[in-house]
Amino acid sequence: MKFESTLGTIWLDANQSALSRISYTPLAENPLANQKILQTAKHQLVEFLAGERKTFDIPYVFEIGTDFQQEVWQALAEIPYGETCSYLDIAEKIQRKKAVRAIGQANRNNPLPILIPCHRVIGKNGKLVGYSGSSDEGLKLKEQLLAIENPMLQEITLF
């Protein structure tokens, strides 16, 4: 399923029981996707992007990713709405202090951006780095998502 949002076109995918992908680039239509889950996900994402929702309550699943990546994604899911942390903070949280670059790669491969809030991870110097690849467009999306959550965000808040 695809839909237009304030961020541009967003594509969604699901299996029979859970949301499995959110993408800023086209996804192939999954004929087995649970349409109710896709509609609920769309509705909740639209609410989130309008600043009307702070949490999601749709079932999701990681159908891709190594054990390490999934561990990182679970840590990302714990970052509170409107707060940020650094890649080093995530490394410390999962007790892998030397894995900062690998955590950046895991963020880049996050199959459920927005829902699993990789946009809340910023450089330890407080600068926006990496999102949806490393393009300027990706950083613009990250900035938009952070602004939705906390328009006054000036400093890093650790979770």
Side-chain angles (χ1 to χ4, degrees), residues 11-144:
W11 283 263
L12 305 175
D13 195 12
N15 60 28
Q16 287 295 307
S17 58
L19 184 68
S20 60
R21 295 286 308 267
I22 298 172
S23 180
Y24 300 114
T25 58
L27 294 173
E29 292 266 339
N30 176 0
L32 302 177
N34 182 316
Q35 295 301 309
K36 183 176 180 187
I37 288 172
L38 292 175
Q39 287 297 331
T40 301
K42 174 186 172 184
H43 178 74
Q44 290 188 15
L45 286 165
V46 167
E47 287 179 336
F48 177 87
L49 294 173
E52 299 167 358
R53 172 177 287 276
K54 293 183 179 182
T55 61
F56 297 94
D57 59 6
I58 51 178
Y60 65 87
V61 63
F62 299 125
E63 292 184 334
I64 63 167
T66 65
D67 290 344
F68 173 79
Q69 288 173 324
Q70 291 185 21
E71 182 180 13
V72 170
W73 299 333
Q74 289 299 341
L76 298 177
E78 296 175 21
I79 306 169
Y81 180 92
E83 297 184 18
T84 61
C85 68
S86 71
Y87 293 93
L88 180 60
D89 295 324
I90 298 294
E92 290 173 347
K93 181 164 183 60
I94 66 170
Q95 300 177 350
R96 297 180 189 225
K97 287 185 179 182
K98 295 184 179 185
V100 173
R101 286 188 178 188
I103 288 165
Q105 289 289 35
N107 277 13
R108 189 169 289 114
N109 292 315
N110 176 4
L112 295 163
I114 307 172
L115 182 74
I116 303 299
C118 53
H119 61 276
R120 296 178 187 154
V121 183
I122 61 176
K124 68 180 180 180
N125 60 3
K127 293 189 177 188
L128 298 184
V129 293
Y131 187 73
S132 187
S134 292
S135 69
D136 289 339
E137 184 137 341
L139 290 177
K140 182 180 174 189
L141 289 171
K142 186 173 196 165
E143 187 174 40
Q144 287 176 277

